[in-house]
Amino acid sequence: MTVAHHPNDFDAVVVGAGFAGLYMLHRLRSAGLRARVVEAASGPGGTWFWNRYPGARCDIESMQYSYQFSTALEQEWNWSERYASQPEILKYVEHVIERFQLSDDIQFNTRVKSAVYDESAARWTVTTASGEILTSQFCIMATGCLSSTNLPDFKGLDAFKGPQYHTGQWPSDGVDFTGKRVAVIGTGSSAVQSIPLIAEQAAELLVFQRTPNYSIPAFNAPLSEDERNRIKANYGALREAGKQQILAYDIEYNPQLAANASPAEIRAECEKRWRLGGLYFYGAFADMLIDEKVNRTVADFVREKIREKVSDPTVADLLTPQAIFGCKRICADTNYFETFNRANVKLIDVSEIPIAGMTALGVQVGDQEYAVDAIVFATGFDAMTGSLNRIDIRGKSGEKLVDKWSAGPRTYLGLSTAGFPNLFTISGPGSPSVLTCMITSIEQHVEFIGDCIDHMRTAGLREIEPTVEAEEAWVSHVNDVAASTLFNSCNSWYLGANVPGKKRIFMPYIGFPPYVEKCNEVVANGYEGFTLSAA
Ligand code: N01
């Protein structure tokens, strides 16, 4: 018998066509569900669609920052560099769409305005900015952790006469800074990647720094066919090794405690990490982000390396962070600190006298006006909750998610939230997400959600929702784990501290392997912590 469907009624609506939304679509369709992905952008890729600033590149190696659900895909795709550039990541995304024939079920240029749960029908109504209505049993938010840009509320933003850009919303046809005097505001990962390239092009570059960041050279290089083949020959083992490590990818994690090591051993490990480059430093010692003394020793090593790179001692002092090493995400760079040795680059410290705002001519700091032709805001994101809170999501009794989360996000496993049945969040707050290789975490979530939906359909269940008790216990566990580390010690976006007024809560869950173990236990115990109800 053929079942007639209204064209806009689906089993599942997925919001977002980044890595999460695309794999979710593939998984749902493989199980025979009618699914639709809606995406605000004009193309796929999520955060990689928008972050097209000069030098945008992943800080996790390409052979690991890629899907692992399909061995054939893994074997056929050839990454050209150790760290993939943003354009190459988009090519990969397009290849995945074509290979798994996903495009027919993706609707681009469609921003979701609201998602409202109808308790009597046990269905979600998703309304788009143009007024289109889609309904579905399941609503899956694949909205990304770093997709809602953060533009500080600077005075006079409209007064500035020149062009303004945000690294997270970069124009798709690029920007030519040749001959221009350019301001970059911010010194996080996006700035660290873009500053060296903007400096090469612009006549003059002014970098406005509030807090210096630790950055380790990425040592990016082309990947030879031999290297690729060597990895591909043993891909499964590499992926498995990654899943056993805290960041969900292989960083040659050292389980040793530095507290038990000699100074020579610590030095040797730091030198090794420096040679490995970038985020490999997170694997240096098991106690690096737990024991402040250990952290100081590692940080001193990195500070020494930074100082060696910068010729002017005053500039070197300003660029050298004093914070806990790794508390804010470590950056991976190519010639970042060296760029400040260029005659056309000036570092402006705004740590004591903050940026007062923009004027018609440029940036005002105290009584000093810096005239520029263009301003680049590398000011980051309203991370993890920003994209969800910008959608009007309403659960049972019309409760708004934004109200429920006003004192910080509350989820069970970062996958679901009490009072919002059949709503799933891929890499939501309370899951390891941003502290891991995102794609590995995304795959684990997609598979959890896919298996859960399969289970519900087989068992004839119509609703799933976490209990308030399970959610409370999970939220306090996430906080307890964070409190046992040094992660609460700085003003990071993990804590929401970069967005004025945002509640200071450590949002991601620290530790991929224990998290996966917990999820598996929940399933093995019949979706423990969830209430499932029959049709
Ligand atoms: O953003 P950020 P991002 N006045 O929040 C400054 C991922 N990512 O886009 O530190 C002056 O880190 C702010 O200063 P402060 C990665 O996970 C990955 O760079 O708050 N300055 C900071 O310097 C990363 O961690 C890749 O004092 C102001 C900067 O703006 C995350 O995205 C590449 C200010 C924001 O830094 C976010 O990185 C890029 C103000 N009012 C990003 N407000 C790779 O894979 C903010 N700032 C390599």
Side-chain angles (χ1 to χ4, degrees), residues 281-311:
F281 249 103
Y282 274 117
F285 296 102
D287 49 356
M288 187 183 85
L289 273 155
I290 293 172
D291 183 327
E292 207 168 333
K293 191 162 159 245
V294 167
N295 192 281
R296 206 174 312 124
T297 309
V298 179
D300 282 344
F301 173 90
V302 177
R303 286 193 272 260
E304 190 186 307
K305 293 281 189 192
I306 293 173
R307 285 216 164 79
E308 281 169 17
K309 286 168 176 273
V310 185
S311 356

Short mmCIF file of all heavy atoms in Angstrom, two decimals, residues 281-311:
data_model
loop_
_atom_site.label_atom_id
_atom_site.label_comp_id
_atom_site.label_asym_id
_atom_site.label_seq_id
_atom_site.Cartn_x
_atom_site.Cartn_y
_atom_site.Cartn_z
N PHE A 281 49.72 19.47 21.70
CA PHE A 281 50.11 19.84 23.06
C PHE A 281 49.08 19.39 24.09
O PHE A 281 49.40 19.18 25.25
CB PHE A 281 50.35 21.35 23.17
CG PHE A 281 51.80 21.68 23.39
CD1 PHE A 281 52.58 22.15 22.36
CD2 PHE A 281 52.38 21.49 24.64
CE1 PHE A 281 53.93 22.42 22.56
CE2 PHE A 281 53.72 21.76 24.85
CZ PHE A 281 54.49 22.23 23.80
N TYR A 282 47.80 19.25 23.63
CA TYR A 282 46.77 18.80 24.59
C TYR A 282 47.04 17.39 25.09
O TYR A 282 46.48 16.97 26.11
CB TYR A 282 45.37 18.87 23.96
CG TYR A 282 44.74 20.25 24.09
CD1 TYR A 282 44.44 21.00 22.96
CD2 TYR A 282 44.45 20.78 25.34
CE1 TYR A 282 43.87 22.26 23.08
CE2 TYR A 282 43.88 22.04 25.47
CZ TYR A 282 43.59 22.77 24.33
OH TYR A 282 43.03 24.02 24.46
N GLY A 283 47.90 16.65 24.38
CA GLY A 283 48.19 15.28 24.80
C GLY A 283 49.46 15.18 25.63
O GLY A 283 49.92 14.08 25.92
N ALA A 284 50.05 16.31 26.02
CA ALA A 284 51.38 16.29 26.66
C ALA A 284 51.42 15.48 27.96
O ALA A 284 52.25 14.58 28.12
CB ALA A 284 51.87 17.71 26.89
N PHE A 285 50.56 15.82 28.89
CA PHE A 285 50.54 15.14 30.19
C PHE A 285 49.09 15.04 30.67
O PHE A 285 48.31 15.97 30.48
CB PHE A 285 51.33 15.93 31.24
CG PHE A 285 52.80 16.03 30.93
CD1 PHE A 285 53.31 17.21 30.39
CD2 PHE A 285 53.65 14.96 31.15
CE1 PHE A 285 54.66 17.31 30.08
CE2 PHE A 285 55.00 15.05 30.85
CZ PHE A 285 55.52 16.23 30.30
N ALA A 286 48.78 13.95 31.35
CA ALA A 286 47.40 13.75 31.82
C ALA A 286 46.99 14.82 32.83
O ALA A 286 45.81 15.12 32.97
CB ALA A 286 47.27 12.36 32.43
N ASP A 287 47.97 15.41 33.52
CA ASP A 287 47.62 16.40 34.56
C ASP A 287 47.86 17.85 34.12
O ASP A 287 47.83 18.76 34.93
CB ASP A 287 48.38 16.11 35.87
CG ASP A 287 49.88 15.89 35.66
OD1 ASP A 287 50.32 15.88 34.49
OD2 ASP A 287 50.59 15.73 36.67
N MET A 288 48.08 18.06 32.83
CA MET A 288 48.43 19.42 32.37
C MET A 288 47.30 20.42 32.62
O MET A 288 47.54 21.60 32.89
CB MET A 288 48.77 19.39 30.88
CG MET A 288 49.30 20.70 30.35
SD MET A 288 49.61 20.64 28.59
CE MET A 288 48.00 21.01 27.93
N LEU A 289 46.06 19.94 32.53
CA LEU A 289 44.94 20.87 32.76
C LEU A 289 44.25 20.59 34.10
O LEU A 289 43.09 20.94 34.30
CB LEU A 289 43.97 20.82 31.59
CG LEU A 289 44.41 21.80 30.49
CD1 LEU A 289 43.91 21.41 29.13
CD2 LEU A 289 43.99 23.23 30.82
N ILE A 290 45.01 19.95 34.98
CA ILE A 290 44.48 19.67 36.32
C ILE A 290 45.37 20.29 37.39
O ILE A 290 44.89 20.90 38.35
CB ILE A 290 44.36 18.13 36.52
CG1 ILE A 290 43.28 17.59 35.57
CG2 ILE A 290 44.02 17.79 37.97
CD1 ILE A 290 43.19 16.10 35.51
N ASP A 291 46.67 20.17 37.19
CA ASP A 291 47.64 20.61 38.20
C ASP A 291 48.25 21.94 37.73
O ASP A 291 48.94 22.00 36.71
CB ASP A 291 48.71 19.50 38.31
CG ASP A 291 49.75 19.79 39.36
OD1 ASP A 291 50.08 20.97 39.58
OD2 ASP A 291 50.25 18.82 39.94
N GLU A 292 48.00 22.98 38.52
CA GLU A 292 48.43 24.32 38.11
C GLU A 292 49.95 24.43 37.96
O GLU A 292 50.45 25.12 37.07
CB GLU A 292 47.92 25.34 39.14
CG GLU A 292 47.72 26.68 38.52
CD GLU A 292 46.95 27.64 39.41
OE1 GLU A 292 46.14 27.19 40.24
OE2 GLU A 292 47.18 28.86 39.25
N LYS A 293 50.67 23.73 38.83
CA LYS A 293 52.13 23.81 38.79
C LYS A 293 52.65 23.17 37.49
O LYS A 293 53.53 23.71 36.82
CB LYS A 293 52.70 23.08 40.02
CG LYS A 293 54.14 23.30 40.23
CD LYS A 293 54.57 22.94 41.65
CE LYS A 293 56.07 22.69 41.66
NZ LYS A 293 56.42 21.32 41.97
N VAL A 294 52.07 22.04 37.14
CA VAL A 294 52.45 21.37 35.90
C VAL A 294 52.14 22.29 34.72
O VAL A 294 52.95 22.47 33.80
CB VAL A 294 51.66 20.03 35.75
CG1 VAL A 294 51.78 19.47 34.35
CG2 VAL A 294 52.11 19.03 36.80
N ASN A 295 50.96 22.87 34.76
CA ASN A 295 50.54 23.75 33.67
C ASN A 295 51.54 24.90 33.52
O ASN A 295 51.92 25.26 32.40
CB ASN A 295 49.13 24.28 33.92
CG ASN A 295 48.57 24.95 32.68
OD1 ASN A 295 48.91 26.09 32.39
ND2 ASN A 295 47.74 24.23 31.94
N ARG A 296 51.98 25.45 34.64
CA ARG A 296 52.92 26.58 34.59
C ARG A 296 54.23 26.16 33.92
O ARG A 296 54.81 26.90 33.13
CB ARG A 296 53.18 27.11 36.00
CG ARG A 296 53.59 28.58 36.00
CD ARG A 296 53.71 29.16 37.40
NE ARG A 296 52.57 28.87 38.24
CZ ARG A 296 52.64 28.27 39.44
NH1 ARG A 296 53.79 27.87 39.93
NH2 ARG A 296 51.55 28.04 40.15
N THR A 297 54.67 24.94 34.21
CA THR A 297 55.93 24.46 33.63
C THR A 297 55.80 24.36 32.10
O THR A 297 56.68 24.79 31.36
CB THR A 297 56.28 23.06 34.20
OG1 THR A 297 56.20 23.14 35.61
CG2 THR A 297 57.65 22.61 33.78
N VAL A 298 54.67 23.80 31.66
CA VAL A 298 54.47 23.66 30.21
C VAL A 298 54.30 25.05 29.59
O VAL A 298 54.89 25.35 28.54
CB VAL A 298 53.24 22.77 29.91
CG1 VAL A 298 53.01 22.65 28.41
CG2 VAL A 298 53.41 21.38 30.53
N ALA A 299 53.53 25.91 30.26
CA ALA A 299 53.30 27.26 29.74
C ALA A 299 54.62 28.03 29.64
O ALA A 299 54.85 28.75 28.66
CB ALA A 299 52.32 28.01 30.64
N ASP A 300 55.50 27.86 30.62
CA ASP A 300 56.81 28.55 30.57
C ASP A 300 57.58 28.14 29.32
O ASP A 300 58.21 28.97 28.67
CB ASP A 300 57.64 28.21 31.82
CG ASP A 300 57.19 29.01 33.03
OD1 ASP A 300 56.46 30.00 32.85
OD2 ASP A 300 57.55 28.62 34.17
N PHE A 301 57.50 26.85 29.01
CA PHE A 301 58.18 26.35 27.81
C PHE A 301 57.63 27.06 26.57
O PHE A 301 58.39 27.55 25.73
CB PHE A 301 57.96 24.83 27.70
CG PHE A 301 58.47 24.24 26.42
CD1 PHE A 301 59.77 23.77 26.31
CD2 PHE A 301 57.65 24.17 25.29
CE1 PHE A 301 60.24 23.23 25.11
CE2 PHE A 301 58.11 23.65 24.10
CZ PHE A 301 59.40 23.18 24.01
N VAL A 302 56.31 27.13 26.48
CA VAL A 302 55.70 27.74 25.29
C VAL A 302 56.00 29.24 25.25
O VAL A 302 56.31 29.81 24.20
CB VAL A 302 54.17 27.46 25.25
CG1 VAL A 302 53.51 28.14 24.07
CG2 VAL A 302 53.91 25.96 25.20
N ARG A 303 55.95 29.87 26.42
CA ARG A 303 56.25 31.32 26.47
C ARG A 303 57.68 31.61 25.98
O ARG A 303 57.90 32.56 25.25
CB ARG A 303 56.08 31.83 27.91
CG ARG A 303 54.62 31.96 28.32
CD ARG A 303 54.48 32.75 29.61
NE ARG A 303 54.57 31.89 30.78
CZ ARG A 303 53.52 31.45 31.47
NH1 ARG A 303 52.30 31.77 31.10
NH2 ARG A 303 53.68 30.69 32.53
N GLU A 304 58.58 30.72 26.36
CA GLU A 304 59.98 30.88 25.93
C GLU A 304 60.06 30.82 24.40
O GLU A 304 60.73 31.62 23.76
CB GLU A 304 60.73 29.70 26.57
CG GLU A 304 62.22 29.72 26.51
CD GLU A 304 62.73 28.37 27.09
OE1 GLU A 304 62.34 28.00 28.21
OE2 GLU A 304 63.48 27.68 26.36
N LYS A 305 59.32 29.88 23.82
CA LYS A 305 59.32 29.71 22.36
C LYS A 305 58.72 30.95 21.68
O LYS A 305 59.21 31.38 20.63
CB LYS A 305 58.50 28.48 21.95
CG LYS A 305 59.09 27.17 22.39
CD LYS A 305 60.21 26.77 21.46
CE LYS A 305 60.69 25.36 21.73
NZ LYS A 305 61.95 25.05 21.05
N ILE A 306 57.68 31.50 22.28
CA ILE A 306 57.05 32.69 21.68
C ILE A 306 58.06 33.83 21.68
O ILE A 306 58.26 34.52 20.67
CB ILE A 306 55.75 33.08 22.43
CG1 ILE A 306 54.67 31.99 22.25
CG2 ILE A 306 55.23 34.45 21.97
CD1 ILE A 306 53.41 32.19 23.08
N ARG A 307 58.70 34.01 22.83
CA ARG A 307 59.67 35.12 22.95
C ARG A 307 60.78 35.01 21.91
O ARG A 307 61.25 36.01 21.38
CB ARG A 307 60.26 35.16 24.35
CG ARG A 307 59.30 35.70 25.38
CD ARG A 307 60.02 36.53 26.44
NE ARG A 307 59.03 37.33 27.17
CZ ARG A 307 58.26 36.85 28.14
NH1 ARG A 307 58.36 35.59 28.49
NH2 ARG A 307 57.38 37.64 28.73
N GLU A 308 61.19 33.76 21.61
CA GLU A 308 62.26 33.57 20.62
C GLU A 308 61.85 34.04 19.23
O GLU A 308 62.68 34.35 18.40
CB GLU A 308 62.62 32.07 20.51
CG GLU A 308 63.50 31.58 21.63
CD GLU A 308 63.60 30.05 21.65
OE1 GLU A 308 63.26 29.40 20.63
OE2 GLU A 308 64.01 29.53 22.70
N LYS A 309 60.55 34.08 18.98
CA LYS A 309 60.07 34.40 17.63
C LYS A 309 59.91 35.88 17.38
O LYS A 309 59.85 36.32 16.24
CB LYS A 309 58.70 33.73 17.39
CG LYS A 309 58.76 32.25 17.18
CD LYS A 309 57.35 31.68 17.26
CE LYS A 309 57.33 30.22 16.98
NZ LYS A 309 57.22 29.91 15.55
N VAL A 310 59.76 36.66 18.46
CA VAL A 310 59.40 38.08 18.28
C VAL A 310 60.62 38.95 18.58
O VAL A 310 61.20 38.86 19.67
CB VAL A 310 58.22 38.46 19.20
CG1 VAL A 310 57.76 39.88 18.94
CG2 VAL A 310 57.06 37.48 19.01
N SER A 311 61.01 39.79 17.61
CA SER A 311 62.26 40.54 17.80
C SER A 311 62.16 41.66 18.83
O SER A 311 63.08 41.86 19.60
CB SER A 311 62.78 41.13 16.49
OG SER A 311 62.01 40.77 15.41
#
